Amino acid sequence: MASLYLALTFDKRTFQETVVKIGILKYQDRKERVRTCFFAEFINLVSSESNDVCSREDKRTIAPEHVLKALEVLGFGEYIEEVYAAYEQHKLETMHDSLKGGKWSNGAAMTEEEAAAAQQRMFDEARARMNGGVTAPKQPETNQSLKS
């Protein structure tokens, strides 16, 4: 009887402290986990249907059009316009990045002579590493036009 009385007199703060102490997830944590599971399942569902659409068209790679068709088939037609807009935005950003020279480019173009010099420098550094840090004597370059 005393334990029933004690259970009924727990206030909210005591209950929350007890819940946290014994490791029960808070409401927000549970809600976030359910949301994460839902999104993962949604992605799996759309991916699977996109793969089926792709296979029916005898294609080997899933294209954005396959994803849009999968959304329609699965009854998520209200998302198609927004997904298509995001796809168009992605294409614009990708095109803009490729016009800038890609992610590895720093915007400064190298002349052919600079590129050849950089390549030769890298060859020399690699040769030095292969020889244990000892630089091998460089062979004199012969100019083919002088020999004729």
Side-chain angles (χ1 to χ4, degrees):
M1 194 57 129
S3 62
L4 178 60
Y5 175 75
L6 184 61
L8 294 175
T9 59
F10 264 1
D11 63 357
K12 186 177 178 181
R13 184 180 57 81
T14 307
F15 176 75
Q16 287 175 341
E17 287 174 359
T18 304
V19 165
V20 170
K21 282 181 187 175
I22 61 174
I24 298 175
L25 297 174
K26 295 180 184 177
Y27 174 73
Q28 284 300 112
D29 292 337
R30 284 185 290 177
K31 196 164 80 171
E32 186 62 31
R33 285 188 184 195
V34 168
R35 194 178 296 140
T36 301
C37 290
F38 170 77
F39 289 136
E41 190 60 33
F42 177 77
I43 296 297
N44 285 336
L45 181 67
V46 172
S47 298
S48 177
E49 186 61 34
S50 299
N51 190 36
D52 291 346
V53 169
C54 181
S55 296
R56 283 193 295 265
E57 294 181 6
D58 292 327
K59 303 287 183 179
R60 298 176 65 88
T61 304
I62 297 174
E65 295 77 25
H66 298 136
V67 176
L68 295 172
K69 180 69 175 170
L71 288 171
E72 183 182 324
V73 168
L74 293 170
F76 296 110
E78 66 270 13
Y79 295 121
I80 291 175
E81 190 174 315
E82 191 173 340
V83 169
Y84 187 75
Y87 168 59
E88 288 296 321
Q89 180 66 32
H90 170 73
K91 281 194 331 188
L92 287 173
E93 290 173 2
T94 304
M95 184 175 62
H96 179 65
D97 288 347
S98 66
L99 291 176
K100 286 192 324 185
K103 65 181 182 180
W104 299 110
S105 175
N106 62 2
M110 227 186 259
T111 65
E112 191 172 336
E113 292 81 20
E114 291 171 332
Q119 183 181 31
Q120 188 59 48
R121 187 184 82 260
M122 288 186 273
F123 282 146
D124 292 340
E125 290 170 359
R127 193 175 297 113
R129 282 193 306 273
M130 291 296 291
N131 293 330
V134 179
T135 307
K138 192 172 181 180
Q139 299 295 327
E141 294 181 21
T142 58
N143 193 341
Q144 296 296 333
S145 62
L146 296 177
K147 288 186 175 184
S148 51

